[in-house]
Amino acid sequence: MNNNRYKILVIEDESNIRSFAKAILEANQYQVITSDTCQNGIMMFSSHRPDLVLLDLGLPDRDGLEFIRTIRSLQEATPILVLSARTGETDKVEALDLGANDYITKPFGTAELLARVRVALRVSQYSGNPSLSLDGKFFLHDLMIDYDRRIVSISGNEIKLTQTEYNILVLLAKHTGKVLTYAFIIREVWGPSDDGGVKKLQVNMANLRKKMGIKPGDNRYIINELGVGYRMCEE
Ligand code: CA
């Protein structure tokens, strides 16, 4: 047995979900520790230094958002995946804005859980830019971004982007695999004091996707996470 295994902390009060996640992860060579409360989860985080946290938001003692706030206020960059209920869109957005890396909607299956865990661990390992080559170019399928020359091409054909479209694309590329909320993108692209940004973002995103040849409903390169934000897909 390999001893160099990733350690995952699962914080979830529903015992069936907790054991389900634990069983799947252990069967895939992850080391798993669990907690059923927020307070104990914070203590276990400090003493066990996990590589990733799976976090339920509805915990019996404190809101799971408190966990994210506490961990991020300690400048800890450990990836946090939120386990969220199907209808909790505002929760998801708040969790992502507080610094959670991603969310998984309950009920979730084995393949989805493992895929999200792998992506989050990979992103954290390569400090957010898994596809950046040594000569300053980003590649994803046929898409290439040349950061030095500020050129974007698909299958070798250059596509002309506005400054704003380019900035949005680069931001998504920099965080490949991670959902970026509307508020985050707006803040990064237009600055903190911008009003009415969501509409503006959607318009720019529609133009960007059109120029990239992505049809509505198509999730090539960029996934539209409805009501939450956008994600550059990894595979
Ligand atoms: Ca719960």
Side-chain angles (χ1 to χ4, degrees):
M1 183 60 78
N2 183 0
N3 284 320
N4 183 22
R5 293 184 296 159
Y6 284 115
K7 194 189 291 173
I8 298 180
L9 169 60
V10 179
I11 308 176
E12 166 66 83
D13 60 318
E14 282 169 67
S15 62
N16 54 338
I17 298 178
R18 198 172 58 232
S19 352
F20 176 65
K22 187 176 195 293
I24 294 171
L25 293 168
E26 283 181 345
N28 286 275
Q29 318 309 321
Y30 294 103
Q31 195 184 334
V32 180
I33 48 177
T34 63
S35 168
D36 54 5
T37 64
C38 183
Q39 191 63 52
N40 186 46
I42 291 170
M43 276 164 48
M44 288 183 77
F45 180 90
S46 309
S47 50
H48 293 271
R49 315 298 303 163
D51 298 293
L52 180 141
V53 180
L54 273 187
L55 174 72
D56 176 36
L57 294 181
L59 294 165
D61 57 335
R62 287 158 74 185
D63 194 313
L65 294 172
E66 278 298 313
F67 178 89
I68 307 174
R69 242 180 236 121
T70 306
I71 298 310
R72 291 296 181 249
S73 72
L74 299 170
Q75 306 295 320
E76 297 283 1
T78 312
I80 301 174
L81 296 190
V82 164
L83 300 172
S84 91
R86 188 164 287 281
T87 50
E89 242 154 42
T90 42
D91 271 1
K92 283 177 208 166
V93 173
E94 205 175 344
L96 291 166
D97 280 335
L98 281 174
N101 296 61
D102 204 351
Y103 58 84
I104 306 172
T105 305
K106 296 185 206 177
F108 52 86
T110 307
E112 188 187 5
L113 176 64
L114 292 172
R116 291 292 165 89
V117 165
R118 267 197 304 270
V119 169
L121 285 170
R122 201 176 310 155
V123 168
S124 78
Q125 235 180 357
Y126 293 92
S127 59
N129 215 336
S131 315
L132 184 63
S133 69
L134 288 174
D135 59 353
K137 293 190 179 83
F138 170 91
F139 295 96
L140 183 77
H141 307 299
D142 302 336
L143 169 69
M144 190 272 289
I145 304 173
D146 183 332
Y147 290 118
D148 295 335
R149 297 165 62 210
R150 298 175 71 85
I151 286 174
V152 176
S153 69
I154 289 181
S155 308
N157 300 314
E158 189 183 339
I159 49 174
K160 299 275 181 207
L161 300 180
T162 65
Q163 183 74 55
T164 302
E165 290 159 2
Y166 178 83
N167 290 344
I168 294 172
L169 186 68
V170 165
L171 184 66
L172 288 166
K174 203 172 139 194
H175 298 274
T176 297
K178 186 176 187 300
V179 193
L180 304 184
T181 64
Y182 301 129
F184 178 81
I185 300 174
I186 291 162
R187 201 164 55 233
E188 294 291 316
V189 173
W190 284 284
S193 59
D194 202 77
D195 294 332
V198 176
K199 188 74 207 161
K200 204 154 64 179
L201 171 60
Q202 285 168 338
V203 169
N204 273 280
M205 194 57 92
N207 291 336
L208 174 60
R209 287 165 60 98
K210 200 166 151 194
K211 288 181 182 177
M212 292 173 74
I214 312 172
K215 295 186 181 67
D218 184 356
N219 277 330
R220 212 153 34 105
Y221 310 118
I222 299 167
I223 298 174
N224 185 1
E225 304 279 358
L226 286 176
V228 179
Y230 298 95
R231 178 210 303 268
M232 182 153 279
C233 22
E234 222 222 353
E235 273 142 22

